[in-house]
Structure formats: C-alpha cells, structure tokens
Amino acid sequence: MPKRGKKYQEAAKLIDRQNLYEIEEAVDLAIKAAPAKFDETMEVHIKLGVDGRHADQQVRGAIVLPHGTGKSVRVLVFAKGPKAQEAEEAGADFVGAEELAQRIQQENWFDFDVVVATPDMMGVVGRLGKVLGPKGLMPNPKSGTVTMDIAKALEEIKAGKVEYRLDKTNIIHTPIGKKSFGPEKLTDNLNALLEAVAKAKPAAAKGQYMRSITVASTMGPGVKINPARVTF
C-alpha cells in the first residue's frame, strides 16, 4: 500500500470509512476532503451486481449532465461531404476521414477526447478499434456517437454529455463535474447519472443492482453512499 501524503491523510479524517452516507452529505464531504489547490474533478464509482462478460448484462449509455462537466471537450468527427461541413459548422475540433485514421495509426495522435462518426464511416473507424477501444474512444450507437445527426451529437457533447459503461470489474467510473460547482450542482449531476444507470438495469440482472457507490475528488479519499437510499 503506497504511503499517502499529509494532505490526503488530513482529508481522510473528515470521513468515517465505515459509514454509508446520504447522497447530499457524501457530495459535501467529498468536496471538503478534496486536498488539491487546483479545481479537482469530482468522480463517482458505481459497483453493479451484474456480469459484464454476458451480453445481456451489459450496462452502457450516455447522459447530458444538468450542469455539464466543467471540462472543455475536444471532438473528432469522421465524416465526408455535407456531413463533414455540418460537423465544422457545429463546432467540431477535428473533421476528416481516412487521413485522420492514418494520422492516428502512424503518428499515435490522440489530441481529442471524444470521437463521433457517421454510420458510413465505421468501416474506416473500425480499423482503429485496437487503439481507440482501450482508451474508451470507439464510437458507439448506444452512446450516440455513431449518428447521422452530427449537429445534435456535438451540441450534447459540448454541453456536458458523459458516457457510462462497465469496466472489467463491473464498475462504472464517471466524472460528475468540478469541485467549484459546489454541492448543489454536483448533487444534481450525480442524481441524474444514478437515475440513468438505474433505468439501464438489464432484465437479466439478479439481486441487488447497485452494490456500492463512492464519490471522490481526483486527489481525495472516497466517500461511500448508501445504495439502499438510491431509489429511481
């Protein structure tokens, strides 16, 4: 176990690690326990009672957070012709086709945060699966990043759309904003995310769905939320 810094140790004293907090109290504590001088990102980690190895127990989707994420997002769009022009007019940071795919493959270029593609470009994008997939950048219809409505996709992403999906340990890790948002806005964002995850519950899921929920800042200790109190 790595030795924690003095600031982290002081912050951890604010939290009872054995207690399960109400959502509002947990968010407030996580803000107070954020030790860094910069405006830390606040994150939530949700352990689900599913087995993501089975297709019928996958949990994946996207939601536009009520107050956004506080982060400036760079969007790359794979499109041609009128759709490429639509992407440029809608504020995409990078627009192109095969030439962008080659740049990613040959130059290891990843100066973007989200990838959007029109369906006809997925043949080109699909060849990038091995490099985009592990970084969570592969476009997907379920998250709204494979679409013909490029303008709408860009508007939602720039407004604070976040994707949620299971990792290999059946945990969802998602940012819910910045420390400077304050407890009220962060609680709104967290509730919106939890509601979306609750509605995405697979029919094949058995037993308790949300096993544990933890909110934390980038550099701070986690605060556990009582999952039994999350009812949507």
Side-chain angles (χ1 to χ4, degrees), residues 109-176:
W109 173 68
F110 292 102
D111 292 339
F112 47 87
D113 306 295
V114 180
V115 179
V116 177
T118 52
D120 59 300
M121 290 302 299
M122 286 309 291
V124 173
V125 180
R127 297 197 291 271
L128 301 172
K130 287 185 178 179
V131 290
L132 294 181
K135 294 179 179 291
L137 292 170
M138 193 67 185
N140 186 285
K142 288 185 178 179
S143 62
T145 47
V146 177
T147 178
M148 288 299 287
D149 197 342
I150 295 295
K152 181 183 177 183
L154 281 162
E155 180 184 359
E156 290 181 343
I157 291 166
K158 295 286 187 178
K161 186 176 186 177
V162 295
E163 184 179 355
Y164 57 87
R165 59 186 295 185
L166 292 173
D167 68 7
K168 291 180 180 179
T169 60
N170 300 312
I171 299 176
I172 288 171
H173 310 272
T174 308
I176 56 169

Side-chain angles (χ1 to χ4, degrees), residues 210-221:
M210 291 192 188
R211 299 285 177 86
S212 70
I213 306 166
T214 304
V215 62
S217 66
T218 307
M219 307 294 289

Side-chain angles (χ1 to χ4, degrees), residues 24-126:
E24 294 84 355
E25 189 179 5
V27 170
D28 192 46
L29 271 174
I31 293 171
K32 290 176 179 175
K37 291 182 179 179
F38 64 88
D39 193 9
E40 294 182 60
T41 295
M42 306 300 292
E43 305 166 350
V44 65
H45 311 278
I46 310 166
K47 173 76 172 178
L48 297 182
V50 297
D51 187 345
R53 292 174 299 178
H54 301 289
D56 62 352
Q57 294 187 50
Q58 269 294 328
V59 179
R60 182 174 187 172
I63 179 175
V64 178
L65 297 176
H67 304 289
T69 62
K71 180 183 178 182
S72 178
V73 182
R74 300 163 300 174
V75 185
L76 182 155
V77 177
F78 282 99
K80 287 183 175 181
K83 286 297 170 182
Q85 184 176 345
E86 179 184 334
E88 289 174 354
E89 292 173 353
D93 298 273
F94 308 99
V95 183
E98 287 86 354
E99 74 280 5
L100 286 183
Q102 288 178 358
R103 186 177 177 187
I104 291 169
Q105 286 180 314
Q106 296 173 8
E107 300 177 24
N108 201 32
W109 173 68
F110 292 102
D111 292 339
F112 47 87
D113 306 295
V114 180
V115 179
V116 177
T118 52
D120 59 300
M121 290 302 299
M122 286 309 291
V124 173
V125 180

